[in-house]
Amino acid sequence: MSESANEAAADGLGGGLEPVDNGLAPVTVVEGATPAPTVQPTPAAWEGTERVNILLLGIDRRPGEAFVSRTDSMMVISINPATKSASVLSIPRDLYVQIPGYGEDRINTALVYGARDGDYLDGAALAMQTVSSNLNIPIHHFVLVDFGAFVRIIDILEGIDVEVPYDIDDSLYPDMDFGYDPLFIPAGLHHFDGQTALKYARTRHADSDFNRAYRQQQVLFAARRQALNLGFGELLLRAPSLYREVEDGIRTDLSLEQILRLATTVGDIPAENMRNAVLDQDYVTSYRTPGGASVLLLNVDAALPLIQDLFSD
């Protein structure tokens, strides 16, 4: 059993993407309510009663680039308040799927196809639709996070503790200017700051994209543990200022209030009720497209039982 998390701050609802009617109770925000300075506020749990599935996309965006880019990582985070359980599924970026309206391509291109007019909301809508139609998982919300926001979130948490299972030696690790920044992390327990956590989550040349997906989940779970260690009450007190620190690198259809409620709900879930998986070599098959691209095909017979187990009540 593993842990999962959704600790990112969030942007507000924007126009262009219709809210999904997912049966969740609306969140009521009380204007002007300010906790007394000496009182630690207790964040309320998510008010919905049904499972909510969130598509979390890590965006390969470098300084000066437009927000919409191919996704460096893709996870579905599922939270079930009724059973106090959660699941995380990582989707390989090279999964070759049918993108509605555009034909077959890698799943990580859906965001770019949908946002061809520059609107990330349209891109997120197509990415959600693509995941839902190909994996049979209803997607209710999305969160896009770029490199800078990821680094700031980890630093806000004062770093994370990660057990590195084996030496990571990646001489081809990319820098932010399309060059190389060789990376070596020895096996053992490490306390990562934001920059090092990003490198650990992104490196793949020393092993594979599948291993990278497991590392990304490991970082996500470590962030949750650290948030619990700091205390949600303290984080809530700092929420407005923390939001301002990361808002430039995050886009979502969830409000900040909803994010805090979801985070609180996840914080209350016992570790033994959290599950995680990767669509790795046991669930996909290598394939070369007619154009010569190396991609992955979903092994439906193997993957569907896993997906049903993770996302069915």
Side-chain angles (χ1 to χ4, degrees):
M1 294 290 180
S2 299
E3 297 180 348
S4 65
N6 184 16
E7 307 297 342
D11 218 346
L13 268 170
L17 181 64
E18 292 296 326
V20 178
D21 182 8
N22 50 32
L24 300 177
V27 174
T28 301
V29 181
V30 180
E31 296 293 338
T34 304
T38 57
V39 175
Q40 291 290 324
T42 301
W46 183 254
E47 293 181 346
T49 58
E50 297 182 4
R51 180 187 295 273
V52 56
N53 299 332
I54 302 165
L55 182 61
L56 176 61
L57 302 173
I59 305 302
D60 187 358
R61 178 193 182 212
R62 290 166 173 78
E65 293 182 341
F67 197 90
V68 174
S69 181
R70 293 193 180 192
T71 53
D72 202 49
S73 64
M74 182 177 291
M75 299 182 194
V76 178
I77 298 175
S78 183
I79 303 165
N80 190 337
T83 60
K84 292 187 179 295
S85 62
S87 302
V88 178
L89 178 68
S90 289
I91 304 168
R93 62 179 186 172
D94 289 335
L95 193 65
Y96 199 57
V97 298
Q98 188 74 28
I99 298 177
Y102 292 91
E104 294 180 315
D105 207 332
R106 291 181 173 89
I107 198 167
N108 74 331
T109 63
L111 179 70
V112 177
Y113 281 132
R116 280 186 166 173
D117 293 332
D119 189 343
Y120 75 87
L121 288 167
D122 291 337
L126 184 59
M128 294 166 68
Q129 184 183 3
T130 300
V131 171
S132 181
S133 62
N134 284 276
L135 299 182
N136 197 29
I137 303 172
I139 304 296
H140 307 113
H141 297 286
F142 73 89
V143 178
L144 313 180
V145 182
D146 73 4
F147 294 154
F150 176 93
V151 170
R152 290 193 293 274
I153 289 168
I154 299 300
D155 286 340
I156 285 169
L157 293 173
E158 301 172 9
I160 56 174
D161 293 328
V162 175
E163 182 71 39
V164 179
Y166 50 83
D167 290 352
I168 300 294
D169 190 359
D170 185 356
S171 61
L172 299 178
Y173 183 84
D175 63 16
M176 289 295 129
D177 195 29
F178 300 99
Y180 298 107
D181 181 17
L183 174 67
F184 179 78
I185 303 175
L189 181 63
H190 294 266
H191 186 77
F192 290 154
D193 62 9
Q195 286 289 352
T196 309
L198 176 65
K199 291 179 179 180
Y200 183 70
R202 291 190 64 213
T203 182
R204 65 185 179 90
H205 297 103
D207 39 40
S208 70
D209 277 342
F210 301 135
N211 295 81
R212 176 168 70 167
Y214 282 110
R215 281 192 289 273
Q216 290 167 351
Q217 291 186 356
Q218 188 182 15
V219 166
L220 194 65
F221 307 152
R224 174 186 180 271
R225 288 194 299 271
Q226 179 65 4
L228 289 174
N229 290 338
L230 292 177
F232 277 117
E234 173 62 23
L235 291 175
L236 182 60
L237 277 175
R238 300 165 57 198
S241 62
L242 299 183
Y243 170 67
R244 288 192 293 271
E245 289 187 45
V246 300
E247 63 178 330
D248 287 345
I250 291 180
R251 300 292 185 271
T252 183
D253 62 342
L254 289 162
S255 69
L256 177 59
E257 176 74 8
Q258 289 174 313
I259 287 288
L260 291 174
R261 288 179 178 272
L262 282 168
T264 302
T265 300
V266 170
D268 291 338
I269 295 175
E272 61 269 21
N273 288 357
M274 295 187 173
R275 307 185 62 194
N276 66 292
V278 173
L279 290 178
D280 59 15
Q281 63 273 3
D282 293 331
Y283 304 100
V284 298
T285 303
S286 296
Y287 173 72
R288 191 166 295 277
T289 69
S294 180
V295 296
L296 300 170
L297 295 180
L298 186 69
N299 183 339
V300 176
D301 290 340
L304 281 186
L306 171 70
I307 292 170
Q308 291 172 354
D309 191 36
L310 289 174
F311 299 101
S312 296
D313 295 332

